[in-house]
Amino acid sequence: MTESLFTQTRWSLEDLFPGPQSPELEAAFQQLEAQTAALEALRPTLREDMPESAFQDILARIEQLHDLASRLYGYANLLFSEDTRNPVAQTLVARVEQFLAELANRTLFFELWWKGLPDPAAERLLAVSGDRRYWLETLRRFRPHTLSEPEEKIINLKNVTGQSALQRLYESITSRYVFRLTVDGEEKELTRDALMAYARGANPDLRAAAYQELYRVYGEEAPLLAQIYQALVRDWYNEQVTLRKHSSPISARNRMNDLPDEVVETLLEVCRANTEVFRRFFRLKARWLGVEHLRRYDIYAPVTQADKIYPFEQAAWLVLDSFEAFEPRIARLAQRVFEQRHLDSEIRHGKRAGAFCWSAVPGLTPWVLTNYNGRAHDVATLAHELGHAIHSMLAEHHSVLTFHATLPLAETASTFGEMLLVDRLLNEEQDEAVRADLLFRQMDDAYGTIQRQAFFALFERQAHEMIRQDASLEAIAAAYMDNLREQFGDAVDLSEEFQWEWVSIPHFYEAPFYVYAYAFGQLLVLSLYQQYRREGAAFRPRYLRILEAGGAKAPIQILNEAGVDVSQAAFWQGGFDVLSDLVAQLEALPLPA
């Protein structure tokens, strides 16, 4: 490891393809075409009594197709994410999506044949499917929601110019926004991520100004952004409920996550019943800030003047060393991201906002995107996204069809990684102001990951129904404000510009009802981390087995094997009990003079 690996740079995508117009990339299109044609030629061999060896050969061919298609799709989207204004990247994304949709239609016959097999025939072939078994079981789980082959083909093609195009349009529009903020008498032009650094800063006037500027821009654009959202919501309902016969819009996501509706409903209702835990915290935070009421601007305000900056090199070492102390193996995996230049941490105009980890295929180190500003929150984000990468790498022994963790478990390693980092910082930090700030940030992050996301899901459920009833933009905005009032009660003062927050949430557009996975993951990790603190080294093998399972088993099965029962409200309440204890610890601290 050299110091140059710990500088903020743009990532390298050369492990996928040398460039967007390279011969290797063009060859991938041709190879996928040839692989698809070869698979199509085997369609007549699909029979109930087909030899098991022939079935295994078809699965191997499908894996080859998925592997190369994932590389091509990943490259196009990562290229677009590093500069959403790049016309070459925009064109490539559109080309790849169209091409892969057409290939999906040509290979759709296998999934439809497999879903239609009688159970005895399917069981015989499942017995020889090896690591691909859960993928095959998942396909059959969707039998009641599968349409005819012509209908499925139409949906695949229309999604390219419909749903996917609208999502790409939203991302392109919002990534171009420039925000203006006056700091020390100088007007700055900022990206959203740079602007939000001030929303978490110590200056209350700048916090308010940052939020006001954010929602001034999004509010002015709300009529356009809401049109995109309404179209996506209607598209989701038309496909998932009207055509596929899911019982509700959120039920479609639950089925994708392989979670019973009852489990998700229990999670959301327990979150709803525990609003007072966070209201207590917000009242306490107001006292620490010396104000009568917390404003929504102040939700993530530091409680001390310890506005500490972490140079990127220091942040990288802190994260890796925190991982090393827990388990050297995961630190070595995280190092791969740096060593292979798969991290883009720069802040620049046109780059996608936020942070993510992209795992293309097993055996290929994932790519991590962050927008690093130097705050403690950014260090935690780095640990979070590297946790995702570790999760994928621990599961890279699985098939390309099963190595991705299912959504309910997708936040396990990332959130656990954050907690390892925070514990490390608390153990080493000598400055009491910084320590208090870190403790409060634990609750800040718990709010952002659990309660905020659960109420996002509750809002989505309401908004989808309202849009189906032709609700206006103003009515949806009013419903969002009611959602905020239920969260905060009398503990937080709300300003009217927050009615436009919902049009600024990318997950609402990109993946309806995705957000409850964050609450699921955080509450799960609170339980797991408490076990780690009690058991020490004895806990590690059980935790690593959860990560190593990837997406090769049902999430509830993986958790049951680890001794976790998510069907019980008491399990989720246990997570809130941990948070309530943390608030009590904070309430016991002396207020700053």
Side-chain angles (χ1 to χ4, degrees):
M1 299 287 284
T2 63
E3 288 188 7
S4 63
L5 292 175
F6 292 148
T7 57
Q8 286 185 262
T9 59
R10 186 185 298 241
W11 54 29
S12 167
L13 303 180
E14 291 182 0
D15 287 341
L16 288 167
F17 294 100
Q21 296 164 326
S22 63
E24 291 86 348
L25 188 137
E26 289 303 316
F29 282 100
Q30 297 169 17
Q31 189 176 349
L32 279 168
E33 171 64 37
Q35 290 177 350
T36 301
L39 184 60
E40 286 178 301
L42 297 176
R43 182 169 187 168
T45 70
L46 295 175
R47 306 187 311 272
E48 286 185 32
D49 62 346
M50 71 183 301
E52 293 164 359
S53 59
F55 182 69
Q56 290 172 317
D57 176 62
I58 286 177
L59 290 182
R61 292 174 182 272
I62 290 172
E63 279 183 325
Q64 288 180 334
L65 263 173
H66 274 262
D67 186 283
L68 187 53
S70 296
R71 292 170 187 265
L72 189 61
Y73 184 75
Y75 179 77
N77 280 276
L78 292 170
L79 189 71
F80 176 76
S81 295
E82 71 177 32
D83 185 0
T84 61
R85 302 171 301 180
N86 181 352
V88 174
Q90 294 169 356
T91 301
L92 181 61
V93 165
R95 178 189 176 191
V96 167
E97 288 187 346
Q98 179 68 34
F99 180 73
L100 294 183
E102 292 170 358
L103 295 194
N105 275 352
R106 289 168 58 187
T107 58
L108 184 61
F109 65 86
F110 173 80
E111 292 188 13
L112 296 178
W113 169 79
W114 174 249
K115 291 175 183 178
L117 268 185
D119 287 340
E123 283 301 323
R124 177 177 68 87
L125 297 175
L126 279 171
V128 299
S129 60
D131 195 52
R132 306 123 167 175
R133 183 183 181 106
Y134 182 62
W135 177 74
L136 291 167
E137 289 174 341
T138 296
L139 292 178
R140 288 181 67 81
R141 193 169 72 246
F142 281 89
R143 274 189 297 175
H145 310 290
T146 300
L147 309 176
S148 68
E149 185 170 353
E151 289 171 315
E152 292 288 356
K153 287 182 175 180
I154 290 169
I155 288 173
N156 283 342
L157 289 176
K158 290 295 289 181
N159 277 349
V160 174
T161 52
Q163 168 194 303
S164 295
L166 285 170
Q167 291 166 340
R168 193 74 58 196
L169 181 63
Y170 174 84
E171 189 174 329
S172 295
I173 290 171
T174 55
S175 67
R176 293 169 185 261
Y177 290 164
V178 174
F179 303 93
R180 293 177 173 81
L181 188 69
T182 300
V183 181
D184 296 330
E186 177 188 353
E187 184 177 90
K188 295 178 177 287
E189 290 191 352
L190 303 167
T191 64
R192 176 173 175 169
D193 286 287
L195 179 73
M196 286 297 95
Y198 290 100
R200 291 174 174 268
N203 187 315
D205 294 331
L206 281 179
R207 288 198 299 270
Y211 275 116
Q212 289 162 2
E213 173 65 3
L214 178 70
Y215 296 126
R216 178 191 68 79
V217 173
Y218 275 94
E220 289 175 356
E221 294 281 282
L224 171 62
L225 300 180
Q227 283 187 58
I228 296 174
Y229 182 63
Q230 289 167 328
L232 287 168
V233 166
R234 292 183 189 278
D235 179 86
W236 184 266
Y237 187 89
N238 290 341
E239 178 180 340
Q240 302 298 342
V241 179
T242 302
L243 296 177
R244 299 196 183 278
K245 308 301 182 186
H246 290 285
S247 60
S248 68
I250 194 172
S251 181
R253 177 63 64 192
N254 299 343
R255 175 73 64 171
M256 295 173 193
N257 292 341
D258 199 5
L259 289 176
D261 289 349
E262 297 77 20
V263 167
V264 177
E265 184 63 26
T266 298
L267 164 67
L268 294 178
E269 287 307 311
V270 171
C271 290
R272 195 169 212 161
N274 279 274
T275 53
E276 188 57 29
V277 172
F278 287 101
R279 290 176 185 175
R280 277 174 57 206
F281 171 66
F282 293 138
R283 294 186 190 105
L284 172 65
K285 193 166 193 177
R287 294 197 295 273
W288 274 72
L289 293 172
V291 296
E292 186 174 348
H293 277 96
L294 205 67
R295 306 171 302 170
R296 176 59 184 83
Y297 307 131
D298 306 321
I299 287 293
Y300 301 112
V303 295
T304 71
Q305 293 301 311
D307 206 7
K308 186 172 182 177
I309 297 295
Y310 296 83
F312 183 76
E313 179 182 350
Q314 181 188 9
W317 278 114
L318 280 170
V319 172
L320 291 175
D321 211 40
S322 301
F323 292 170
E324 176 80 22
F326 173 72
E327 169 58 55
R329 180 182 171 195
I330 70 169
R332 290 194 298 271
L333 291 174
Q335 285 178 17
R336 276 172 48 182
V337 178
F338 291 93
E339 292 168 345
Q340 297 180 23
R341 295 173 57 217
H342 283 202
L343 174 67
D344 189 328
S345 56
E346 288 182 338
I347 293 178
R348 55 182 184 272
H349 289 295
K351 180 181 172 182
R352 176 174 164 169
F356 67 79
C357 173
W358 190 294
S359 301
V361 295
L364 205 55
T365 299
W367 278 262
V368 169
L369 179 144
T370 67
N371 287 271
Y372 188 81
N373 274 295
R375 310 289 180 175
H377 173 76
D378 299 305
V379 187
T381 298
L382 182 62
H384 183 102
E385 299 305 334
L386 287 172
H388 279 304
I390 289 163
H391 199 162
S392 293
M393 289 185 278
L394 283 170
E396 63 187 3
H397 57 287
H398 291 295
S399 163
V400 67
L401 305 173
T402 58
F403 91 108
H404 279 292
T406 52
L407 189 56
L409 300 184
E411 298 300 326
T412 307
S414 53
T415 307
F416 198 92
E418 279 192 72
M419 296 182 78
L420 290 172
L421 171 73
V422 171
D423 266 7
R424 161 69 181 271
L425 295 176
L426 286 171
N427 287 336
E428 294 188 355
E429 185 59 60
Q430 300 301 311
D431 187 327
E432 288 302 318
V434 175
R435 285 180 55 80
D437 188 53
L438 287 168
L439 285 167
F440 270 87
R441 283 184 185 274
Q442 279 192 291
M443 278 301 296
D444 289 344
D445 292 343
Y447 164 72
T449 308
I450 298 172
Q451 205 73 340
R452 187 169 187 248
Q453 304 300 328
F455 272 82
F456 275 167
L458 292 168
F459 166 74
E460 279 190 278
R461 196 165 61 182
Q462 181 182 9
H464 276 242
E465 179 60 26
M466 290 179 69
I467 288 169
R468 197 166 71 85
Q469 301 297 331
D470 301 317
S472 66
L473 166 64
E474 292 74 18
I476 299 170
Y480 187 76
M481 287 296 286
D482 288 341
N483 177 283
L484 293 178
R485 292 186 187 101
E486 182 181 357
Q487 282 187 71
F488 298 127
D490 62 358
V492 176
D493 292 336
L494 293 168
S495 300
E496 284 303 309
E497 64 265 23
F498 284 92
Q499 69 183 302
W500 304 122
E501 183 175 25
W502 60 279
V503 298
S504 75
I505 308 300
H507 279 320
F508 290 172
Y509 293 78
E510 295 169 1
F513 306 104
Y514 179 101
V515 290
Y516 74 69
Y518 290 108
F520 190 113
Q522 177 79 52
L523 289 169
L524 170 64
V525 169
L526 284 173
S527 172
L528 293 175
Y529 206 76
Q530 289 300 105
Q531 292 179 38
Y532 166 53
R533 283 174 168 163
R534 289 195 304 267
E535 301 173 20
F539 166 82
R540 289 200 295 266
R542 189 166 71 255
Y543 171 72
L544 293 175
R545 280 197 298 273
I546 293 175
L547 304 188
E548 289 166 348
K553 296 179 183 177
I556 288 182
Q557 180 184 350
I558 293 171
L559 293 174
N560 283 344
E561 291 173 359
V564 175
D565 183 2
V566 296
S567 68
Q568 301 299 313
F571 169 76
W572 302 114
Q573 185 60 49
F576 279 100
D577 292 344
V578 172
L579 294 173
S580 183
D581 288 344
L582 178 56
V583 175
Q585 292 176 43
L586 292 171
E587 288 170 335
L589 294 176
L591 290 173

